[in-house]
Amino acid sequence: MRRLASVLAASVLVLTGCGLPQHDPEVTFYANGKTIRVEPTIYCDVTGDNCAEKNSPGTLKVPPGKVVQISVDGQLADGLWEVVCVYENAAKVQEGCSSPLLGKGDNFSYTLAVPNDSDQLLRIEVHEAAGAVLETGQDRPAADARFVGRRHRSLVLAERFPPLAGDDSEC
């Protein structure tokens, strides 16, 4: 009987998550044979008006025209999320891009590609939605739905910057 009570008590602790460390969902970026995991860098309130930096952005070298594969964990994939980027085109003009709204358990990854082989990615952000404004009234987000971001993961792409001292590696 005592053993059964101990097993039941341990089960309650496991089921409630008591004592387990909580972590924010990470995002994995993969490009050019390298992988980096990034925790949220910016936290915002539910309205998106009050934001604060928590962590520094990650960095990854990505040559011009190359894709970046982005993977999110289940906690993030169950909600709504989007990818936003800034890239520089051949005329040295910065342009933006964004994915459609992703998630609701259907999207655990996204491949970000720039329009042309000469375009250089400069920054990528993955925005986790705190709430969505659905334009269609449907239970699934429309491609043009807007949302308020809650946590952002940022990646600065370092290909344009000079190599670190002693770093002779090619991308």
Side-chain angles (χ1 to χ4, degrees), residues 16 26 47 54 63 160 162:
T16 61
E26 294 179 327
T47 64
K54 180 178 179 185
R160 296 191 43 193

Side-chain angles (χ1 to χ4, degrees), residues 102-164:
L102 305 165
K104 289 305 213 185
D106 296 334
N107 307 103
F108 288 82
S109 64
Y110 181 77
T111 300
L112 176 62
V114 289
N116 301 299
D117 287 344
S118 59
D119 294 342
Q120 175 65 62
L121 279 165
L122 302 176
R123 184 177 186 91
I124 301 170
E125 293 183 356
V126 174
H127 298 172
E128 176 183 4
V133 178
L134 303 181
E135 305 294 335
T136 63
Q138 300 174 356
D139 62 349
R140 299 281 307 168
D144 61 348
R146 296 175 291 116
F147 76 90
V148 177
R150 179 173 65 164
R151 291 182 282 211
H152 304 208
R153 287 110 182 127
S154 297
L155 183 69
V156 176
L157 301 155
E159 178 61 26
R160 296 191 43 193
F161 303 104
L164 299 173

Side-chain angles (χ1 to χ4, degrees), residues 30-36 58-64 66-68 120-121 155-164 166-171:
Y30 174 83
N32 202 39
K34 304 287 183 194
T35 300
I36 184 171
T59 59
L60 186 66
K61 290 184 178 183
V62 180
K66 297 298 182 185
V67 301
V68 176
Q120 175 65 62
L121 279 165
L155 183 69
V156 176
L157 301 155
E159 178 61 26
R160 296 191 43 193
F161 303 104
L164 299 173
D167 182 7
D168 297 325
S169 61
E170 286 289 320
C171 288

Side-chain angles (χ1 to χ4, degrees), residues 63-84:
K66 297 298 182 185
V67 301
V68 176
Q69 296 171 331
I70 302 164
S71 300
V72 301
D73 70 12
Q75 185 180 350
L76 189 54
D78 285 342
L80 293 174
W81 59 284
E82 76 172 340
V83 176
V84 177

